[in-house]
Amino acid sequence: MNDDARYQGDAAALAWAALGGEAGLTGRVRHGGARGLLPARLPVMDLARATVTVCALAGAELAAARTGGALPAVEVDDGAVATAFLSERHLRIDGRAPAVFAPLSGFWHTADGWLRTHANYPHHRDRLLAALGLPESAGPEALAAELAGRSAAETEAAVYAAGGLAVAVRDATEWGDGPQGAAVARRPLLTLEPLGAATPPLRAPAPASDPLLPAAGLRVLDLTRVIAGPVATRTLALLGADVLRIDAPGLPESRDAHADTGFGKRSAVLDLDSRAGRATFEELLSYADVVVTGYRPGALDRFGLAPEALAERRPGIVVARLSAWGDYGPWGGRRGFDSLVQAATGIAVTEAAADGTPGVLPAQALDHGTGYLLAAAVLRALTERSRTGGARLATLALAQTAALLTDVLPRCAPGPADAYDPAVRLAETTGPLGRLRHALPPVAFAGSPANWARPPGEWGADTPAWV
């Protein structure tokens, strides 16, 4: 490891300040590793390094708070970070590479520009085709032909009205001048604030390991999907939390995505529309320390899962909310994914090819970066709760992370890349899903584990109960 000045930027300090952390602590983090990874026109590696740095620092801080000891030494390696940010691409399941995007997900020519669609899930595919008047059997050729005669903005509106996912590709000026881009620009990177009535500090659970992991004995209800939220809860599981993911029985999930982000966690199916399912959830909530949600704003409120309602029933709870576009502005209720946020916020234009074809970041960095920020927010909230009591609410959005990348972090021409073999940051684990080759966690400090305690199990196969 080294402390080269190239690592001493303001990105981690800015994120740490947004989390309410003690000033100056990011300067104590040691950095090193190969140079020039995740190359792009935008400072993707700076974003990735900063988000992992504050997550590792927040974990070390909570460990110190729970043991009464000194802050453990924190080290961040660029190779580990870059490999983890590409975890879904490095994953192999019995030697098979997972599918990342479905045939109808991607960039498409329209009559006046470009459109980005997301149709990885069957219900989103069906809604996209229905909005365009295409049959369920339509493939990429039929979709391309239909979109070639349509306006990008009008198609975006029509697909969203039908419950599908499509975004007109905008440059940074178009996004910033629009109402949602302007709303995002007025917001901080994230918020972490008190929630509900004050409560006394909660006594931490008895240590479950030696040395004590910072989240040992803590219980986390994980109501997230795809990448960003599951990356956050996967990190909390690494640090000792009992993480129970809850999904609705009728909502499909990608087996490949679960194989990547299910490490360390358990997974159960629970029907919150049923009386029995609601009763089981209330029992789980009565012992939970953290609830993490990743659905579009307001989607879970009818189940009593709005932050204020959770804090009323479980005083002292930490609630962390993640969305694509934020819970404000005209897009506040929209669904979204990393790829769509890249398309809308000008990233796809900035990273475009020489012929003007929209481009992408070298990793789904908005997802992964927001995931580590989300985990950091939970860990910081737990530290503050141990000191002063009270519930906490953390709110994050992919669009706000995108603003950090595009508008805040300084850009510079990529330097020469060091030779780097990601195999040194990969491991093989055998479990219920088969033989998995996977990325190791990038979050590291003195006493932290090098790998998860358990591989992913079958999605939805666990009993909805705490260990």
Side-chain angles (χ1 to χ4, degrees):
M1 303 295 289
N2 65 66
D3 290 297
D4 195 307
R6 67 193 166 101
Y7 294 107
Q8 306 306 317
D10 294 330
L14 185 152
W16 187 245
L19 291 163
E22 179 184 338
L25 285 188
T26 54
R28 295 170 59 180
V29 178
R30 296 188 64 207
H31 295 275
R35 301 170 184 257
L37 305 181
L38 301 181
R41 295 189 179 99
L42 291 166
V44 177
M45 193 65 227
D46 291 346
L47 173 75
R49 183 189 308 116
T51 58
V52 171
T53 294
V54 297
C55 186
L57 187 57
E61 180 191 41
L62 180 58
R66 294 189 65 183
T67 61
L71 182 76
V74 179
E75 296 186 348
V76 176
D77 179 272
D78 271 16
V81 172
T83 304
F85 266 60
L86 293 167
S87 63
E88 67 275 6
R89 301 186 197 177
H90 288 300
L91 180 70
R92 295 294 182 271
I93 305 171
D94 291 328
R96 175 183 63 84
V100 178
F101 286 104
L104 299 190
S105 296
F107 291 108
W108 309 89
H109 270 296
T110 68
D112 57 0
W114 289 89
L115 185 83
R116 177 90 199 209
T117 59
H118 194 288
N120 283 8
Y121 289 101
H123 56 300
H124 291 154
R125 179 185 186 279
D126 293 346
R127 292 168 186 172
L128 170 67
L129 295 176
L132 300 176
L134 294 172
E136 294 182 3
S137 59
E141 296 80 8
L143 179 61
E146 177 65 28
L147 291 176
R150 287 176 170 263
S151 157
E154 291 175 358
T155 303
E156 172 187 281
V159 172
Y160 266 102
L165 293 142
V167 164
V169 175
R170 295 163 170 82
D171 64 26
T173 300
E174 290 174 302
W175 171 250
D177 289 345
Q180 191 63 32
V184 169
R186 292 191 294 268
R187 305 284 172 145
L189 172 61
L190 57 89
T191 58
L192 180 58
E193 55 196 356
L195 174 64
T199 62
L202 296 184
R203 186 177 66 180
S209 60
D210 188 17
L212 175 67
L213 295 178
L218 299 171
R219 291 166 170 165
V220 178
L221 282 171
D222 175 8
L223 285 76
T224 69
R225 295 167 58 77
V226 195
I227 297 179
V231 163
T233 53
R234 180 180 70 182
T235 303
L236 297 176
L238 171 76
L239 299 181
D242 179 9
V243 179
L244 178 61
R245 174 170 163 169
I246 300 293
D247 284 277
L251 200 57
E253 177 57 303
S254 163
R255 181 181 175 88
D256 289 351
H258 177 62
D260 177 43
T261 60
F263 281 88
K265 301 185 276 189
R266 294 177 298 121
S267 168
V269 170
L270 202 56
D271 184 3
L272 297 184
D273 278 316
S274 72
R275 181 177 299 179
R278 292 287 291 277
T280 299
F281 184 86
E282 291 302 314
E283 176 69 12
L284 292 169
L285 178 64
S286 68
Y287 292 96
D289 296 279
V290 180
V291 176
V292 185
T293 66
Y295 292 77
R296 61 188 176 89
L300 300 177
D301 289 3
R302 66 190 180 94
F303 300 118
L305 299 183
E308 296 77 12
L310 290 168
E312 183 177 347
R313 304 200 305 283
R314 177 60 169 156
I317 193 78
V318 171
V319 181
R321 292 190 303 171
L322 165 73
S323 64
W325 309 106
D327 57 359
Y328 46 81
W331 289 22
R334 286 191 176 189
R335 299 172 179 87
F337 293 91
D338 179 303
S339 59
L340 299 181
V341 177
Q342 288 191 39
T345 59
I347 292 173
V349 172
T350 300
E351 298 292 341
D355 65 358
T357 302
V360 297
L361 298 177
Q364 294 193 67
L366 306 183
D367 263 334
H368 286 272
T370 308
Y372 289 110
L373 288 174
L374 184 63
V378 170
L379 294 165
R380 283 245 64 248
L382 291 167
T383 296
E384 292 301 319
R385 188 184 72 170
S386 72
R387 294 169 176 168
T388 64
R392 297 289 191 283
L393 171 62
T395 306
L396 298 90
L398 301 184
Q400 289 166 215
T401 304
L404 173 65
L405 177 65
T406 60
D407 300 337
V408 178
L409 299 183
R411 303 185 195 183
C412 59
D418 291 341
Y420 176 70
D421 182 1
V424 301
R425 295 299 307 175
L426 301 176
E428 282 205 356
T429 302
T430 300
L433 300 185
R435 189 181 75 258
L436 304 180
R437 189 195 77 177
H438 63 93
L440 289 166
V443 173
F445 52 87
S448 67
N451 204 345
W452 288 273
R454 55 179 288 165
E458 293 287 348
W459 176 82
D462 292 296
T463 301
W466 296 118
V467 172

